[in-house]
């Protein structure tokens, strides 16, 4: 296959025992490259978040873009998720037509175009156009990268590698924010144009690097390229041995599933409404919805507003406090990456939503009990004054809220939708779920600044209520999918239990080479008899 390197594709997943330890040895780390390199696509989303949050106290930015108010700033921020909504929906045809790998490369090209326009923007219109184009790239990559990862990795590490999509987002946020912080010491427009220009570099690395990575074996089989698919599976899971037991088992599972789905009918949006599929579409879309309604992006996009309301004054002090949050966001995503396949999806979702709701209630309660209407930078703001201990408590609760999301809902929100759909509808269903993410991201990015300026501290209680509602939904409706192949997950959902998901055993559908071989031998003995 042109441009594909079998050496890069070497992967540890054929050894399930060793794959439980990400840091087993240097060779093992090299073999994780296939599943993690595409995560740079997730980092683009993080870069965009920090590219806006880092300029909300930048006077040069205000001067160039005519001092945007709360509503105008919300619209500027929301333009990126608006483009992402378009990009996520476009994946429905692109990922199936040109493949997962080529879609990622296309997304990197589009991001560079959007980044250049933002860097050169001279007014709000040009900035918004650049953000919309960059948003299309983020919509494409945020949808197709989890699909690519879930289809190219084994179940023993799938959750870990797909959850690295969220980790890459946190890295993008943190790195861009520190670049913004460093450039804040520069006078003039270079203080925000340099960071906006530098964010094109990761996209260039992603686009060029993906040329040497394999296409999804499942997509290849679905498009009649079985020999290529078998070789890639061998390189990924069997050290190049096409006769390896695990390779043969997975190849046969994928081929059987693809053949079955071909006989089910044409690939169209109508398939998403079929019994069994519609339930999963609801789960994927609602999980992405809850991840936005959790309030996490309020803490990412508008953390400067949150800390200003808490009484933290001074541009440098606010930037430093913000940076601590972004470091915590990166650090607390690591445990989820390592243990998501051991802990499972359901416990993380339930625990995360409850913890976030609790900490948001504390933030809202402290804001409401000790704050009052005041003026910050010429704007009317609900602010706490002369209560240093309360200010510190709000900052700590904000940190704990972010940590709760980072170790739970954040990684699972990308892993779960990428693994619950059959091949026939996976690209369309995941793109619809991701589009739901961007739809709510767009609405909240625009609505939160006006909300903070009108209902103030009550905003936090609104998001807390969303989290508690999400916890109930996760408990009753979301079955466990950890440690299952994508084909075995079909049997998980075949068990039913639409409103009693806890009743589905984690061993449902579990298959292994030894048992399959024994079954084949038993069947052969019966036929001879």
């Amino acid at each position: 296959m042109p441009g594909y390197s079998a050496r890069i594709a070497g992967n540890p997943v054929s050894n399930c025992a060793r794959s439980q330890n990400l840091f087993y040895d240097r060779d093992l780390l090299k073999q994780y490259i296939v599943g993690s390199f595409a995560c740079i696509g997730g980092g683009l989303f993080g870069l965009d978040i920090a590219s806006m949050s880092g300029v909300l106290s930048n006077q040069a930015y205000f001067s160039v873009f005519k001092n945007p108010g709360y509503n105008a700033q919300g619209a500027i921020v929301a333009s990126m998720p608006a483009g992402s909504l378009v990009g996520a929906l476009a994946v429905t045809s692109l990922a199936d037509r040109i493949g997962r790998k080529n879609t990622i490369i296309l997304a990197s090209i589009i991001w560079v175009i959007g980044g250049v326009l933002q860097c050169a923007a001279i007014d709000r219109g040009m900035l918004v156009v650049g953000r919309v184009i960059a948003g299309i790239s983020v919509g494409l990559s945020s949808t197709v990268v989890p699909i690519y990862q879930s289809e190219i990795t084994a179940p023993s590490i799938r959750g870990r590698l797909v959850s690295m999509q969220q980790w890459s987002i946190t890295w993008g946020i943190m790195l861009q924010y520190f670049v913004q912080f460093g450039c804040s010491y520069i006078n003039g427009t270079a203080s925000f144009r340099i960071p906006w220009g530098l964010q094109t570099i990761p996209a260039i690395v992603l686009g060029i690097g993906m040329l040497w990575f394999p296409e999804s074996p499942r997509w290849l089989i679905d498009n009649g390229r079985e020999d290529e698919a078998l070789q890639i599976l061998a390189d990924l899971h069997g050290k190049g041995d096409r006769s390896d037991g695990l390779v043969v088992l997975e190849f046969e599972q994928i081929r059987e599933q693809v053949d079955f789905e071909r006989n089910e009918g044409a690939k169209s949006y109508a398939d998403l409404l079929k019994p069994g599929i519609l339930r999963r579409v609801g789960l994927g879309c609602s999980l992405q919805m809850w991840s936005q309604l959790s309030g996490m992006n309020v803490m990412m996009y508008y953390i400067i507003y949150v800390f200003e309301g808490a009484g933290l004054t001074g541009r440098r002090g606010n930037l430093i406090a913000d940076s601590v949050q972004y470091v915590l966001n990166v650090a607390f995503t690591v445990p989820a990456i390592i243990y998501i396949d051991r802990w499972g999806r359901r416990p993380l979702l339930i625990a995360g939503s409850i913890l976030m709701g609790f900490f948001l209630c504390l933030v809202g309660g402290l804001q409401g009990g000790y704050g009052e209407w005041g003026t910050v930078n010429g704007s009317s703001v609900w602010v706490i004054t002369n209560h240093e201990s309360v200010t510190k408590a709000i900052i700590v609760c904000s940190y704990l809220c972010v940590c709760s999301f980072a170790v739970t809902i954040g990684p699972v929100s990308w892993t779960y939708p990428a693994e619950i759909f059959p091949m026939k509808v996976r690209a369309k269903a995941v793109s619809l779920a991701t589009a739901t993410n961007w739809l709510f991201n767009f609405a909240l990015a625009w609505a939160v600044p006006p909300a903070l300026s009108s209902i103030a501290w009550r905003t936090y209680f609104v998001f807390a209520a969303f989290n508690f509602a999400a916890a109930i939904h996760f408990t009753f409706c979301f079955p466990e999918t950890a440690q299952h192949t994508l084909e075995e997950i079909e049997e998980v959902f075949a068990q039913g239990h639409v409103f009693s998901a806890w009743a589905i055993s984690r061993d449902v559908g579990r298959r292994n080479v030894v048992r399959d071989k024994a079954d084949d031998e038993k069947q052969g003995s019966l036929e001879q008899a």
Side-chain angles (χ1 to χ4, degrees):
M1 185 159 50
Y4 162 56
S5 172
R7 183 178 180 182
I8 291 179
N11 194 289
V13 294
S14 63
N15 189 332
C16 294
R18 290 178 64 187
S19 70
Q20 294 302 317
N21 187 349
L22 179 61
F23 306 106
Y24 190 88
D25 57 36
R26 187 168 298 178
D27 291 336
L28 189 61
L29 290 176
K30 291 179 181 177
Q31 295 171 9
Y32 269 79
I33 293 176
V34 167
S36 60
F37 182 80
C39 286
I40 295 176
L44 302 182
F45 177 28
L47 292 172
D48 181 84
I49 290 176
S51 73
M52 275 289 103
S53 63
V55 300
L56 294 182
S57 60
N58 189 318
Q59 294 304 313
Y61 169 82
F62 290 139
S63 176
V64 172
F65 300 107
K66 311 304 181 186
N67 295 301
Y70 282 115
N71 188 58
Q73 184 58 52
I76 292 172
V77 174
S79 60
M80 190 280 294
S84 299
L85 175 61
V86 175
L89 292 174
V91 169
T92 58
S93 59
L94 281 174
D96 285 337
R97 185 176 303 172
I98 68 175
R100 289 33 168 160
K101 170 182 171 179
N102 289 331
T103 302
I104 295 173
I105 295 173
L106 176 64
S108 67
I109 296 172
I110 295 174
W111 174 267
V112 172
I113 297 172
V116 169
L117 287 174
Q118 291 178 77
C119 181
I122 57 175
D123 55 34
R124 294 183 193 176
M126 188 173 178
L127 176 60
V128 167
V129 170
R131 286 182 58 75
V132 169
I133 293 175
I136 293 174
S137 169
V138 172
L140 290 173
S141 60
S142 64
T143 305
V144 76
V145 167
I147 295 175
Y148 178 79
Q149 290 173 311
S150 67
E151 292 181 351
I152 212 163
T153 57
S156 59
I157 62 168
R158 186 181 62 244
R160 178 183 298 163
L161 288 176
V162 176
S163 66
M164 288 183 72
Q165 164 87 343
Q166 176 63 24
W167 199 38
S168 68
I169 294 174
T170 66
W171 271 103
I173 295 172
M174 186 184 73
L175 293 176
Q176 175 73 325
Y177 195 85
F178 278 116
V179 172
Q180 293 269 8
F181 181 80
C183 290
S184 69
Y185 290 91
I186 301 174
N187 294 322
T189 61
S191 61
F192 64 84
R193 294 195 191 280
I194 290 175
W196 289 357
L198 290 176
Q199 66 184 355
T200 62
I201 295 175
I204 296 172
V205 173
L206 174 64
I208 295 175
M210 283 301 298
L211 296 173
W212 282 270
F213 283 79
E215 180 55 87
S216 160
R218 286 171 173 83
W219 183 83
L220 290 172
I221 292 175
D222 196 34
N223 285 269
R225 296 159 62 177
E226 294 189 0
D227 189 65
E228 292 178 47
L230 179 58
Q231 185 58 54
I232 288 174
L233 287 172
D235 293 334
L236 288 169
H237 309 328
K239 298 180 180 179
D241 182 5
R242 295 163 68 111
S243 63
D244 181 87
L246 286 174
V247 172
V248 174
L249 173 62
E250 185 168 7
F251 179 79
E252 291 301 326
Q253 280 186 320
I254 296 171
R255 189 166 61 179
E256 290 172 7
Q257 189 66 29
V258 169
D259 289 342
F260 173 76
E261 289 162 358
R262 282 174 180 167
N263 296 328
E264 285 292 293
K267 299 178 181 179
S268 70
Y269 276 107
D271 291 323
L272 302 182
L273 302 177
K274 290 183 177 180
I277 303 299
L278 183 59
R279 172 192 177 188
R280 287 182 254 186
V281 171
L283 294 178
C285 291
S286 61
L287 176 54
Q288 291 286 19
M289 175 192 73
W290 289 129
S291 73
Q292 290 300 312
L293 294 178
S294 68
M296 179 60 173
N297 275 347
V298 176
M299 298 297 181
M300 293 291 105
Y301 282 129
Y302 301 116
I303 189 61
I304 285 181
Y305 292 164
V306 174
F307 286 172
E308 280 181 350
L312 185 62
T313 59
R315 182 184 177 196
R316 294 289 185 268
N318 205 321
L319 288 173
I320 292 172
D322 299 347
S323 65
V324 172
Q325 172 170 280
Y326 296 137
V327 172
L328 291 173
N329 192 24
V330 172
F332 276 81
T333 304
V334 175
I337 292 174
I338 298 174
Y339 297 110
I340 187 172
D341 291 305
R342 182 180 303 175
W343 293 343
R345 291 26 163 179
R346 274 174 53 84
L348 292 177
L349 289 173
I350 296 169
S353 54
I354 292 174
L355 287 172
M356 288 194 71
F358 173 71
F359 291 123
L360 285 169
C361 282
L362 290 180
V363 172
L366 291 170
Q367 284 268 18
Y370 293 92
E372 59 184 3
W373 287 108
T375 302
V376 177
N377 296 327
S379 300
S380 179
V381 176
W382 184 272
V383 62
I384 293 174
T385 55
N386 301 320
H387 292 287
E388 184 177 352
S389 60
V390 176
T391 296
K392 292 179 179 179
I394 290 175
I395 293 174
V396 170
C397 288
S398 299
Y399 289 162
L400 293 173
C401 182
V402 168
C403 292
S404 299
F405 181 89
V407 78
T408 58
I409 300 175
V412 179
S413 67
W414 296 107
T415 303
Y416 199 83
E419 64 187 5
I420 62 175
F421 299 108
M423 177 70 190
K424 180 177 63 175
V425 299
R426 185 171 298 135
K428 290 180 173 60
V430 173
S431 73
L432 187 61
T434 309
T436 303
N437 177 298
W438 294 117
L439 178 63
F440 280 87
N441 191 317
F442 167 76
L444 293 175
W446 199 331
V448 166
L452 290 174
S453 67
S454 56
I455 63 174
W457 54 272
R458 298 176 184 86
T459 304
Y460 302 104
F461 284 107
V462 172
F463 286 108
F466 286 142
N467 277 287
F468 293 134
I472 296 173
H473 190 197
F474 296 149
T475 300
F476 283 90
C477 299
F478 282 67
E480 185 57 71
T481 57
Q483 296 290 335
H484 289 288
T485 68
L486 299 182
E487 288 66 41
E488 291 168 356
I489 289 173
E490 294 300 306
E491 298 184 46
V492 172
F493 281 95
Q495 300 299 307
H497 297 289
V498 176
F499 300 108
S500 55
W502 63 82
I504 301 177
S505 171
R506 292 187 65 165
D507 293 327
V508 169
R510 193 68 55 81
R511 295 175 64 181
N512 59 62
V513 177
V514 175
R515 189 178 71 191
D516 282 7
K517 183 177 180 180
D519 290 344
D520 290 342
E521 292 176 350
K522 181 178 180 181
Q523 182 65 31
S525 299
L526 291 174
E527 290 175 354
Q528 290 177 1

